[in-house]
Amino acid sequence: MSSTQKHNGEIDKLDFNSQRAHSQHNSDSDTSGPSHLLDDDESFFSNVARGVVRRDRRSMQRAAMRYLSFACAMLSCLCAGSITAYSLYGHLFLSRLRYTQLQVNIVSITAELAMYLPVPLFGYLCDRYSPRPLSLFAGLVFGLGYLLAAFTYRHGPSVAAGGEGWAFGVMVLAFVGIGMGTSCMYLSAVTTCAKNFGRGRHKGFALAMPIAAFGLSGMWQSQVGSRLLYEVAENGKRGDVDVFKYFLFLGVTLLVVGIIGAVGLRVVDEEDLIDEAVEELERSGLLEDSALFRHVAIDRGYGTLDGRRSSNEEQERIRREAEESKRLEQEGARKKTWLLNEETRQFLRDPTMWFLAAGFFLVTGPGEAFINNLGTIIGTLYPPSSTSTTSSDPNIIIPTTAATHVSIVAITSTIARILTGTLSDLLAPIPAPHHYRPLARSTTSSLHHQDAHTTPPPPKPRTFTLSRVPFLLTFAALMSLGQIVLASGSIQDHGSRFWIVSALIGAGYGAVFSLTPIICSVVWGVENFGTNWGIVVMVPALGATVWGVIYSAVYSWAAARGKGKGGGHVGVGVGREADALCYGRECYAPTFWAMALSVWVACGLWMWAWRGKGGWKARGVAV
């Protein structure tokens, strides 16, 4: 054997003839042939063993990186939802900064718009440049936003409101940063989990856990604010949250979490996802007219030789390999960009996507408006304190707080997210391995591409299956039930019953936010998940804006009319703080009747996307 082969334990087909001649020439003088054969065998098996060890080590490293990224994603989501605790301090903007109810809602609506409208752009960047830069950006804008909000609050009412503080627009600007930070941190975490686990058996659970953690973030942060960072009342007891300290705490915490995510959020084996998605598109016939497909097919390298050269050609081989590696890297980047753009086009052309997004808009808008206005809704249940001769009773103590119901909404939302994600994994039909199969142009084109690529065997069907859509409809109905209970007036003057409303709306809101991205990943795949989900999740911004304005308009209308429960007065109180306050069922009932109707319309749209003409069931998509 040649010296190169002797050391490497490999036989190169290009050197076979010369090797045989060399062996014949030395056969007479070589008296230890059998021992050389044993040495060669030992070297061969040693190389095989080392290859197996290296493969197992790489597999373990990938698994460790995948679960470490999952832990970082959970941490990010556990902190990202700080905006959901807005009700904890929103009413203090009304009383301490002398904002009107509309201005309080403008702050929250601005945060919602900043949180949802840029999400398609953030998702695009996340898919193409990885989630890590997005997490770092989230930490920075969170820190700056909460720092600006803290000092705006500390300076008190603005000049326009009779004080000497900063203008109302500064607070709005601060919450723009907070909203953008929320969407970036949430999206970077969820996209990481979707791409790392979206092709596995437990994709629902892997997505439900970070989404549930996002719901929990408002709960623990509101408890920290109300139980640790509080003001001391005149009687020495615990008062309202100290908004300045609370904002500083959130700013520092979220900055640190964003930096951790910038290091730990990694997508493992993304190249394999891209290659599998391209093969699926090839099988579907959608790439027949693509110049990129023809180029990729030619460059796949069928029939090429990749053997080792003799030692005098080693440098030339290394140079060629470096050039080939660079070419493949550029080709991979070009293929990834083309694939993601093509998937975005297919997503936007699908009518069922618009039905899904419209229903999401009609459900999440009322949910966002309820969460943002918890404090003022609770305030309408009892007359405001007064020292005048009106029917208001200054001794009435509301038996519940906004912080309590932020926690109830967070807990029920979290339970619903985990429950629906887990049950959907266990009961939902197993989807086909190729989510583009139903979109093939023709049977002929599909069969043509299946000849070139072996189709994996279909998964074994389950004996009992239940689609994710009935889960979605059931929890949406629960949400509408909570809205009906509140609108009926059965909670008025009975604040101890308000937990029923919070629990029902929280469960419905959480389940919808858990199931919708799972359905999105099942129907349209995970390769372009950040962009696709970013487009859908943009609609709650419009929903929150619409329903926030409706709630504020009804609240202000009822306060202006001066009619409350039993013909009493609303908007009664002392000084400027009471001018905008409202008491009675009329302050909220029309809004929540309309919200319940909105949810039922959403259920009809989802049913059509599932069972209607050209819907998921008709196309064979196992949702």
Side-chain angles (χ1 to χ4, degrees), residues 14 308-318 320:
L14 297 179
R308 293 181 179 270
R309 303 293 185 244
S310 57
S311 57
N312 60 349
E313 298 178 350
E314 189 71 16
Q315 292 183 353
E316 180 65 18
R317 182 184 64 81
I318 293 174
R320 286 198 303 270

Side-chain angles (χ1 to χ4, degrees), residues 413-438:
S413 173
T414 300
I415 293 173
R417 295 176 200 220
I418 296 176
L419 183 66
T420 53
T422 304
L423 288 179
S424 68
D425 278 343
L426 297 176
L427 300 177
I430 300 175
H434 315 302
H435 57 273
Y436 283 106
R437 180 181 55 80

Side-chain angles (χ1 to χ4, degrees), residues 267-278:
V267 177
V268 182
D269 294 334
E270 187 176 18
E271 297 81 4
D272 294 341
L273 286 176
I274 299 299
D275 290 338
E276 290 173 10
V278 170

Side-chain angles (χ1 to χ4, degrees), residues 152-201:
T152 303
Y153 181 86
R154 191 174 196 180
H155 280 76
S158 65
V159 175
E164 299 179 353
W166 295 354
F168 169 70
V170 180
M171 183 66 79
V172 173
L173 179 62
F175 273 81
V176 169
I178 293 169
M180 293 174 65
T182 302
S183 62
C184 286
M185 190 168 285
Y186 166 81
L187 190 63
S188 62
V190 174
T191 301
T192 300
C193 293
K195 293 191 175 186
N196 282 338
F197 300 96
R199 290 294 180 112
R201 294 176 55 189

Side-chain angles (χ1 to χ4, degrees), residues 295-315:
H295 183 68
V296 169
I298 292 172
D299 287 348
R300 286 203 170 170
Y302 296 120
T304 59
L305 296 175
D306 190 25
R308 293 181 179 270
R309 303 293 185 244
S310 57
S311 57
N312 60 349
E313 298 178 350
E314 189 71 16
Q315 292 183 353

Side-chain angles (χ1 to χ4, degrees), residues 501-584:
V501 177
S502 298
L504 289 172
I505 294 179
Y509 178 82
V512 168
F513 251 101
S514 174
L515 288 169
T516 307
I518 295 174
I519 291 174
C520 191
S521 69
V522 170
V523 178
W524 294 285
V526 298
E527 303 81 23
N528 203 39
F529 176 82
T531 303
N532 294 347
W533 176 231
I535 293 171
V536 175
V537 83
M538 180 176 63
V539 299
L542 181 59
T545 302
V546 170
W547 287 106
V549 171
I550 291 174
Y551 173 80
S552 298
V554 171
Y555 185 99
S556 300
W557 166 80
R561 285 188 59 180
K563 290 184 178 180
K565 179 176 177 292
H569 294 280
V570 291
V572 178
V574 179
R576 189 181 180 99
E577 291 184 12
D579 291 344
L581 298 181
C582 183
Y583 156 67

Side-chain angles (χ1 to χ4, degrees), residues 321-338:
E321 287 183 354
E323 292 177 353
E324 178 69 9
S325 176
K326 183 178 180 181
R327 187 192 68 81
L328 290 176
E329 183 178 352
Q330 293 173 346
E331 181 67 29
R334 191 163 69 95
K335 181 167 62 173
K336 176 181 177 180
T337 300
W338 181 91

Side-chain angles (χ1 to χ4, degrees), residues 2 35 95 164 191 224 243 335 367 399 447 468 497 537 619:
S2 65
S35 64
S95 58
E164 299 179 353
T191 301
V224 168
V243 179
K335 181 167 62 173
L447 291 175
R468 292 176 174 88
R497 302 175 185 173
V537 83
R619 283 162 32 186

